[in-house]
Amino acid sequence: DGGITQSPKYLFRKEGQNVTLSCEQNLNHDAMYWYRQDPGQGLRLIYYSQIVNDFQKGDIAEGYSVSREKKESFPLTVTSAQKNPTAFYLCASSLSRGNEQYFGPGTRLTVT
Amino acid sequence: GENVEQHPSTLSVQEGDSAVIKCTYSDSASNYFPWYKQELGKRPQLIIDIRSNVGEKKDQRIAVTLNKTAKHFSLHITETQPEDSAVYFCAASRSDTGTASKLTFGTGTRLQVTL
């Protein structure tokens, strides 16, 4: 499971709290992505980053924030403004000029 | 933006039979179409992909076909085995040199291979 890692595997939080999910890659990929997966649905893009200190909103960015201070790291913060934060969160990376995205093992977030 | 529809949502086949999953996309500028396999609780893994300059690609028991005119692409799995049981996702993106690939995913097909 090397290459791209996410931690923790399971995360529990109380409603109203912000929480940060970690994503690290050692593939020397320029681009990194965050997806959300809900039961019975496909993956939906939250944010993506093409280079350090740059990121763009995906299709469902509301209630989330990201940073890209290092090439290897792309943490995602789920804020209290996210209405339904309970989901499986997947991080991915790719070469900027390529297309194949490699996924991390995911973090299952439960907010009660 | 891009919209990808995937059918069927569930598919049950007997071991040794073939399975076909179909996807349609809306953006005629999309030029990259990957297929991912996701086992329960695991990460999605790329199994095959196709670019818009080819119509078909094969890798052992797996093949993908692309019809750009009709804007649809399909995954074909032959001689299915129990280990093929998983959820399969299609996706589409338009990628330009130097930019990230914004994948739009279908909603997935749960394939069950029975003995």
Side-chain angles (χ1 to χ4, degrees), chain B residues 62-88:
Chain B
I62 294 173
V64 58
T65 58
L66 172 65
N67 183 326
K68 287 192 297 181
T69 303
K71 290 190 284 188
H72 67 68
F73 56 113
S74 300
L75 177 71
H76 305 253
I77 306 174
T78 59
E79 300 172 22
T80 54
Q81 301 168 3
E83 50 265 39
D84 294 329
S85 296
V87 178
Y88 291 81

Side-chain angles (χ1 to χ4, degrees), chain A residues 18-59:
Chain A
N18 291 354
V19 60
T20 297
L21 282 59
S22 167
C23 178
E24 304 277 333
Q25 54 97 2
N26 62 5
L27 301 168
N28 200 33
H29 285 172
D30 290 311
M32 297 186 74
Y33 313 80
W34 273 105
Y35 293 91
R36 170 183 172 136
Q37 186 174 30
D38 294 285
Q41 296 192 33
L43 284 68
R44 292 183 289 168
L45 183 64
I46 304 172
Y47 267 98
Y48 67 101
S49 168
Q50 299 182 65
I51 56 172
V52 173
N53 293 323
D54 176 76
F55 47 83
Q56 286 84 39
K57 292 181 179 180
D59 299 319

Side-chain angles (χ1 to χ4, degrees), chain A residues 54-112:
Chain A
D54 176 76
F55 47 83
Q56 286 84 39
K57 292 181 179 180
D59 299 319
I60 55 166
E62 186 175 352
Y64 300 97
S65 66
V66 293
S67 62
R68 187 88 186 275
E69 297 177 1
K70 297 187 300 181
K71 186 175 184 177
E72 303 80 20
S73 178
F74 190 41
L76 173 74
T77 297
V78 184
T79 75
S80 56
Q82 168 50 232
K83 297 281 190 286
N84 297 296
T86 295
F88 187 47
Y89 290 88
L90 287 156
C91 178
S93 69
S94 71
L95 289 171
S96 65
R97 291 178 178 233
N99 292 286
E100 180 175 355
Q101 293 187 19
Y102 295 85
F103 285 86
T107 292
R108 191 167 297 280
L109 173 65
T110 302
V111 177
T112 57

Side-chain angles (χ1 to χ4, degrees), chain A residues 33 37 96 99 101 103, chain B residues 36 38 43 51 95 99 101:
Chain A
Y33 313 80
Q37 186 174 30
S96 65
N99 292 286
Q101 293 187 19
F103 285 86
Chain B
Y36 285 86
Q38 187 179 30
R43 73 183 82 192
R51 299 179 193 276
S95 63
T99 66
S101 304

Side-chain angles (χ1 to χ4, degrees), chain B residues 7-80:
Chain B
H7 299 280
S9 57
T10 60
L11 180 59
S12 182
V13 299
Q14 285 198 319
E15 184 179 6
D17 288 350
S18 296
V20 180
I21 302 170
K22 299 181 179 182
C23 290
T24 60
Y25 61 98
S26 61
D27 186 352
S28 56
S30 288
N31 57 8
Y32 175 64
F33 307 92
W35 285 88
Y36 285 86
K37 175 183 180 182
Q38 187 179 30
E39 297 177 1
L40 190 63
K42 300 286 182 66
R43 73 183 82 192
Q45 293 194 304
L46 182 75
I47 55 170
I48 196 167
D49 56 13
I50 192 168
R51 299 179 193 276
S52 59
N53 57 346
V54 297
E56 184 175 5
K57 183 176 178 180
K58 285 184 180 180
D59 183 3
Q60 300 182 331
R61 298 186 296 109
I62 294 173
V64 58
T65 58
L66 172 65
N67 183 326
K68 287 192 297 181
T69 303
K71 290 190 284 188
H72 67 68
F73 56 113
S74 300
L75 177 71
H76 305 253
I77 306 174
T78 59
E79 300 172 22
T80 54

